[in-house]
Amino acid sequence: QKAAQNNEGAKCPKCRKQFTSEKPLEDLAAVYCPLKVFKGHKCSWTGYYSEIERHMDRECEFCPGKCDCGQVMDKKFFFSNDVKCGCVNLNCDFCGLSFSARVIEKHVQNCDEIGEKHVCGEYVKRKDLSKHLLNSCKANDPLVACRFYNMGCIEKIKKSKVKQHEDDFKEYHEMLCNEFVIKV
């Protein structure tokens, strides 16, 4: 309702038609980040006028932010452990590396030493997940056709059980091979 009141009687400066949008006039066109316009920063954000405050408070890396220790710095440096401030250093409980208190939470969200229970039931560290999936994950054990399928063995076995299947059905596979050679 407030948006409609703001637009009452407003006309487009170009075509002179009356605006019919429910949005406030300020939100009918995209705007650039004020720090780009007034200070020449390279912020690539564009949005609506009503979104500027949210952008400046939460997103703009060129907008100054205040650390818990009171130091003011550009947000682009806020999560960098290289920028020193008055915050205490804390060690990560998972990897043992030292981080400023302002960045430790962000580090923990991405720490490769954190492990999680995988769908297969094993506990796997993030850094080892790719290797686990390729080599040892029991959940990643697809059914495969026996290599003697074309000769007549119609078994589908889990990939991890192929050797056991071949050992258990060795005589059967030899018989299939002999019959195949005779046919050819």
Side-chain angles (χ1 to χ4, degrees):
Q1 188 180 24
K2 186 177 179 183
Q5 289 172 350
N6 287 345
N7 293 344
E8 258 180 55
K11 293 183 181 179
C12 172
K14 191 172 184 177
C15 68
R16 308 301 295 159
K17 290 184 181 176
Q18 189 162 347
F19 285 112
T20 57
S21 174
E22 290 296 313
K23 291 182 178 181
L25 286 177
E26 300 88 33
D27 282 351
L28 292 177
V31 295
Y32 293 103
C33 173
L35 291 179
K36 178 178 185 166
V37 175
F38 298 114
K39 301 247 182 182
H41 291 292
K42 295 182 179 180
C43 182
S44 60
W45 179 84
T46 57
Y48 294 107
Y49 182 82
S50 61
E51 299 169 335
I52 289 175
E53 189 174 340
R54 180 183 53 83
H55 166 70
M56 301 291 281
D57 287 344
R58 299 183 195 159
E59 300 165 358
C60 186
E61 63 184 71
F62 299 101
C63 191
K66 194 172 190 179
C67 184
D68 291 340
C69 69
Q71 184 172 333
V72 176
M73 65 184 82
D74 284 356
K75 286 183 189 152
K76 67 181 171 185
F77 301 121
F78 201 77
F79 291 110
S80 169
N81 202 40
D82 298 333
V83 176
K84 301 298 177 203
C85 68
C87 288
V88 297
N89 280 344
L90 302 170
N91 290 334
C92 173
D93 291 335
F94 302 99
C95 67
L97 295 175
S98 179
F99 293 91
S100 170
R102 81 170 185 279
V103 298
I104 190 81
E105 188 177 332
K106 185 96 168 160
H107 164 75
V108 169
Q109 290 173 356
N110 300 300
C111 182
D112 284 340
E113 292 295 325
I114 291 178
E116 298 167 351
K117 192 170 185 177
H118 194 248
V119 293
C120 65
E122 283 189 52
Y123 183 81
V124 183
K125 290 182 178 180
R126 289 176 181 163
K127 70 177 184 177
D128 299 330
L129 186 59
S130 294
K131 188 171 81 174
H132 169 75
L133 290 171
L134 284 173
N135 300 324
S136 61
C137 183
K138 292 172 185 71
N140 193 22
D141 196 10
L143 288 176
V144 294
C146 174
R147 68 182 176 126
F148 297 97
Y149 178 81
N150 290 339
M151 296 178 195
C153 183
I154 58 170
E155 293 291 320
K156 299 264 186 195
I157 4 59
K158 288 190 174 191
K159 190 175 180 181
S160 63
K161 303 286 185 189
V162 167
K163 175 82 171 105
Q164 181 182 342
H165 168 77
E166 289 178 356
D167 289 346
D168 291 349
F169 291 91
K170 184 176 182 176
E171 291 175 8
Y172 176 63
H173 291 147
E174 286 175 358
M175 182 198 69
L176 290 174
C177 287
N178 291 335
E179 287 179 6
F180 185 77
V181 169
I182 294 171
K183 288 180 185 176
V184 175

